[in-house]
Amino acid sequence: QVQLVESGGGLVQAGGSLRLSCAASVRTSSSVTVGWFRQAPGKAREFVAAIRLSGGSTYYAESVKGRFTIFRDNARNTVYLQMNSVNSEDTAVYYCAAAPDWINIREQYRYNSWGQGTQVTVSS
């Protein structure tokens, strides 16, 4: 099972930027997909973005497209989520997760390893 450790959360002003990190115990040449999900207070957890470690294909939720970027650093076995132009609706606990392939990557049930989560709070 893939081990995942998130970091980088914190308090950011609306319109600002924040970068989240997900250190993964898996070779970046594998078929694994790493996804980011988030859960806001009182809401269900939702898909944010995903990247296929081999090849680097990416996919985004409409709500973050054009503002967030997911990318990987092969040398560090780390996946990042660069968050720009954040707003109050981005306030949530962010989780990274790993799925074995690139099938139905928006669906949480496809992911069999999860990190502990990191809090992102956007202040107005």
Side-chain angles (χ1 to χ4, degrees):
Q1 196 170 11
V2 177
Q3 302 297 316
L4 303 164
V5 179
E6 302 106 332
S7 60
L11 180 66
V12 59
Q13 287 191 328
S17 298
L18 199 65
R19 180 178 292 180
L20 306 183
S21 301
C22 176
S25 64
V26 61
R27 292 182 181 273
T28 51
S29 60
S30 75
S31 63
V32 167
T33 292
V34 173
W36 285 96
F37 291 78
R38 66 186 181 185
Q39 187 166 21
K43 295 188 177 181
R45 189 159 56 185
E46 64 176 3
F47 171 80
V48 176
I51 186 167
R52 187 169 192 174
L53 295 188
S54 63
S57 297
T58 59
Y59 185 76
Y60 297 91
E62 284 298 320
S63 59
V64 305
K65 196 175 292 185
R67 300 188 300 121
F68 291 10
T69 302
I70 188 170
F71 62 99
R72 71 202 194 287
D73 183 332
N74 291 349
R76 291 181 168 82
N77 282 359
T78 299
V79 172
Y80 301 94
L81 184 69
Q82 177 67 41
M83 306 167 59
N84 297 332
S85 302
V86 297
N87 57 58
S88 59
E89 294 184 351
D90 297 319
T91 293
V93 177
Y94 284 73
Y95 300 88
C96 67
D101 48 41
W102 191 244
I103 300 172
N104 292 338
I105 57 171
R106 296 179 59 94
E107 304 299 330
Q108 296 181 47
Y109 75 88
R110 294 291 301 156
Y111 294 80
N112 50 22
S113 297
W114 291 82
Q116 80 285 359
T118 187
Q119 176 71 48
V120 172
T121 302
V122 180
S123 64
S124 56

